[in-house]
Each structure stands twice: as C-alpha cells, then as structure tokens.
Amino acid sequence: MRPTVIMKAAITLDGQLAAADGTSQWISSPEARRDAHRLRAQVDAVMVGAGTVRADDPRLTVRLPAESDEGVAQPIPVIVAGSGPFPAGAQLFRRDPVVLSPTRLDLAGRVIVAPDDTGERVDLATGILELGALGIRRLLVEGGARLFRSLLDGGLVDRAVLYYGPVLAGGVGAPLFAGRWETLAEGRAVHIGEVHRLGRSMRVDVDLAY
C-alpha cells in the first residue's frame, strides 16, 4: 500500500518557488512557516529531490518554537537521488535518511534501488510503494520543481498544501512545476478545499484525488 502523498510548497502569488538566483527566504510569512512545521509533525516522512539537498542543505525536522523538541516524532527524511553527487557533509545524512536511487550508492542511511526504464532516474511509483512497505503512511514532498512535476505526471500526488506569500515575482524564476504547459487541456482539474489566512500569507489545501 503506497503512502498518501502530500505536496507542500511556499510560492509567490504568481506561482514562483524561488528567484532565478535561487533565493526564496522568505516568500511566506512566519505564521505560514510555523504552520508548515505543524504539517511536518503530522506525517511519517518528508521527501526532497537531490537538487534541493544541494541547493538548500535542509534538515527536514519539525521545529516549533513554542514546544520542546522532546517528545516530537521527527519525520523520516527521504531523498530522491539523481545523477549528480551529493555534497559532502549534507545535514540529512546525519539523520539516517532513506534514499531512492536508480543505482546502488554507498551512503549513510537506507538506499532503495528503484530504476526507471532508462536506468538513469528513479521510478517514483515503485520507490513510493517501497516507502509504504517501511510503514510510511503519510509522505510530505517539499521539492523541488522537477520532483513535483514527475510526481504530478505519474498521478502520485493526492493532496497539495500551497502557502502563497504576499509577493509578486513579476517574472519566471523557479516555477512550481518544471517544464512547459503547452495547452489548457493538459491542466488537471482539482478540488480546492480549505483556505486560511496565516499572517500576511494564505494557505490553500488542494485535493487531487477527489
């Protein structure tokens, strides 16, 4: 049984994850960022792509200032490997991550080999099923744009939580999804659920599996 897959992103009002130079701190409000940590506390694992590891060196931990870390169940970090090397000393490798890879790797943590037909990329459907076999029931995906697009194309996203910050990019930096949107017919109908104000930001919950 595969986990429920929840895509999470903080974006500008016109749909950009980051500027062209990679800067994105902070698009969303402090209230939205705290809410995102509460969301992490509700899942079993948090997934990112290798590009996010290289660019941001994330920790993917639950950090709630008003609460002690003691007793908080930290989600399992999951990395989708690509063809490039990981940076030495990346913080996630101190947390015994699960790595989905198209080839065998000598890394700290558990490596699940799940190649696609080309042998160069991860078969995400297979990899996510393997995460389910590890007992992961709710998987939060936090980036980046290529991983989001691959999951969307594979029909693997059940829900999305989008935090819109009070920012207009006014151009294309790093859009929410990699690739081109050629025609309206390629869009996906979704159900917009709850909408909340969080300080100067807005959270929109989207159901893709309705």
Side-chain angles (χ1 to χ4, degrees), residues 4 20 88 94 100 104 113 116 170-172 189 199 204:
T4 298
R94 302 173 199 164
L100 305 183
R104 297 193 179 279
V113 179
D116 67 2
V172 177
V204 178

Side-chain angles (χ1 to χ4, degrees), residues 1-6 44-45 47 124-140 156-158:
M1 180 177 177
R2 80 165 177 85
T4 298
V5 177
I6 306 162
D44 302 305
M47 173 188 281
L124 289 169
T126 299
I128 289 173
L129 274 174
E130 291 289 340
L131 296 180
L134 295 179
I136 293 169
R137 295 291 172 259
R138 287 168 59 84
L139 173 66
L140 186 65
L156 297 170
V157 181
D158 300 297

Side-chain angles (χ1 to χ4, degrees), residues 71-86:
V72 174
Q74 294 293 342
I76 298 166
V78 178
I79 307 168
V80 179
S83 57
F86 288 107

Side-chain angles (χ1 to χ4, degrees), residues 90-103:
Q91 295 186 91
L92 284 183
F93 291 108
R94 302 173 199 164
R95 297 192 54 224
D96 197 27
V98 176
V99 180
L100 305 183
S101 173
T103 59

